[in-house]
Amino acid sequence: MAGQWAARAAIAEEAVRGRFVRRVFALPGTRLGLPRVGGRVHLRWNYWWQAHLLDCLVDARLREASEERERVIAALVRGIRVRNFGVWTNSYYDDMAWLGLALQRAGGAEGALSAIEARLRSGWTEDLGGGIWWRRGDTFKNVPANGPAAIFLARRGDHEWARAALDWMDRTLVDPDTGLLWDGVYLGGEVVKTIYTYCQGVFIGAATELSTSDLVARTVRAVKRYVATAHVLPGQGSGDGGLFAGILARYLAQSALRLPDAEGDTARRLVFASAEAVWRHRVITQDGPLFGVEWGSASDPGVDLSVQLSAWMTLEAAALLARVDGSAPDRV
């Protein structure tokens, strides 16, 4: 089964790269992901989508290293900086944390990592009991910013800062009735109680990185009970929402490698059931598969890069589990 999941991830990689990855303004030595099927130039700038494209390329490199993949990764890193007008940062702390995570995994770029780290640290205030803002000059703090920032800082070796962010999310934005993470809170105290899949994912990722298995297990159980249907993660539309389920699948896979058997088995089943649904409901075209916005049933294929990356990310998560711990079931 490990070979089957690797082959599926490779097919998704080829389809995404063929449809979306192009030079930036025709500049040699650069690459960037176009935002939609049929796009031609990089006028629309989706900074954090490019971070996930980079993460997926690193997943592919781990699955099967090659000099060609190394060149594409390096070209994408250059392309991101070119398209961001020669700098690594922007006004959104969640965007910067995502790029920092991808650059950490890609390797090198220490100057970029230092710039991102400094900017993330500057976003922390004691308003609302701690946490970093969603964006500069805003009045909103949320899981999408603090979750990936906590993972990033933990991987930079600052476990104290990362744990403070994790504790703030746990203290401020956990629904006591379900154990799921709400989105965020405004300066005046108004809590936005929307449930997004990727909020669960980054909280699981941060707690996993900090070996806080009780928080990981609680959130995995909550995802199974309140979010997934027959262990399949739901979609949350196109645009930015297209990435949400794949992010949760990525960190479920990471947690499955570290959790005790019972909770780890739940995380594995969520990953494999979702990946199987992604694959089963693909639309086959002459340019390779197109994956749907919803995974649990046949749906219109997504034309946004975000939707296709989410599917590829989930197939890579399944391939990772099958490769590392041989946990791919015959049936999900």
Side-chain angles (χ1 to χ4, degrees):
M1 289 294 287
Q4 179 187 77
W5 286 112
R8 290 175 174 180
I11 291 169
E13 176 194 6
E14 183 178 5
V16 170
R17 287 179 56 179
R19 283 193 181 94
F20 295 99
V21 178
R22 300 288 187 274
R23 288 180 177 181
V24 184
F25 306 139
L27 293 173
T30 65
R31 295 290 186 277
L32 210 61
L34 294 165
R36 293 173 66 85
V37 172
R40 293 181 180 274
V41 293
H42 300 282
L43 296 178
R44 179 177 160 196
W45 178 221
N46 300 92
Y47 175 113
W48 80 291
W49 295 13
Q50 308 301 327
H52 288 287
L53 174 57
L54 179 57
D55 242 345
C56 284
L57 287 168
V58 174
D59 289 340
R61 182 178 70 183
L62 292 173
R63 172 170 41 83
E64 185 178 2
S66 72
E67 291 184 4
E68 190 273 340
R69 283 195 178 92
E70 292 289 355
R71 288 193 295 271
V72 174
I73 287 170
L76 180 60
V77 172
R78 285 193 293 271
I80 290 170
R81 189 175 190 184
V82 167
R83 184 59 183 81
N84 206 43
F85 305 111
V87 298
W88 297 106
T89 57
N90 73 1
S91 296
Y92 290 82
Y93 294 104
D94 54 344
D95 284 11
M96 290 183 283
W98 285 122
L99 183 58
L101 287 170
L103 290 170
Q104 281 177 322
R105 297 184 68 228
E110 179 57 35
L113 296 177
S114 295
I116 289 169
E117 179 178 351
R119 185 63 64 84
L120 290 175
R121 291 182 184 280
S122 74
W124 180 281
T125 73
E126 292 306 314
D127 300 291
L128 297 165
I132 66 171
W133 300 106
W134 171 46
R135 62 182 174 183
R136 297 178 73 185
D138 207 62
T139 60
F140 187 58
K141 294 184 174 182
N142 61 4
V143 174
N146 283 272
I151 302 169
F152 174 80
L153 267 295
R155 292 178 181 175
R156 293 286 280 175
D158 191 344
H159 287 190
E160 182 178 356
W161 192 99
R163 187 167 296 279
L166 179 68
D167 289 346
W168 178 81
M169 290 184 287
D170 186 46
R171 187 172 64 247
T172 310
L173 292 172
V174 173
D175 180 353
D177 294 328
T178 65
L180 293 171
L181 276 294
W182 292 319
D183 181 36
V185 57
Y186 283 97
L187 187 57
E190 177 191 355
V191 176
V192 178
K193 296 186 177 182
T194 311
I195 300 296
Y196 292 120
T197 44
Y198 86 139
C199 290
Q200 320 316 310
V202 295
F203 186 80
I204 287 170
T208 299
E209 203 67 34
L210 292 164
S211 300
T212 314
S213 58
D214 57 331
L215 299 185
V216 180
R218 182 192 70 196
T219 312
V220 169
R221 289 193 298 267
V223 167
K224 175 190 173 185
R225 182 173 181 182
Y226 297 107
V227 176
T229 300
H231 289 89
V232 176
L233 303 177
Q236 289 188 289
S238 56
D240 286 345
L243 275 166
F244 292 2
I247 290 169
L248 176 51
R250 172 183 294 283
Y251 291 108
L252 282 168
Q254 294 297 317
S255 72
L257 296 173
R258 303 194 198 183
L259 280 172
D261 288 345
E263 289 86 358
D265 287 346
T266 297
R268 288 181 184 88
R269 191 161 293 276
L270 287 162
V271 172
F272 283 116
S274 298
E276 185 63 44
V278 163
W279 188 256
R280 184 186 310 124
H281 296 120
R282 72 195 186 282
V283 174
I284 299 173
T285 78
Q286 63 180 3
D287 299 319
L290 272 172
F291 302 102
V293 174
E294 288 290 341
W295 297 343
S297 60
S299 65
D300 291 336
V303 297
D304 286 347
L305 172 63
S306 57
V307 175
Q308 302 307 308
L309 284 177
S310 194
W312 176 13
M313 199 182 309
T314 302
L315 293 169
E316 292 285 6
L320 171 68
L321 290 178
R323 180 173 73 251
V324 172
D325 70 359
S327 63
D330 293 330
R331 308 172 79 177
V332 293

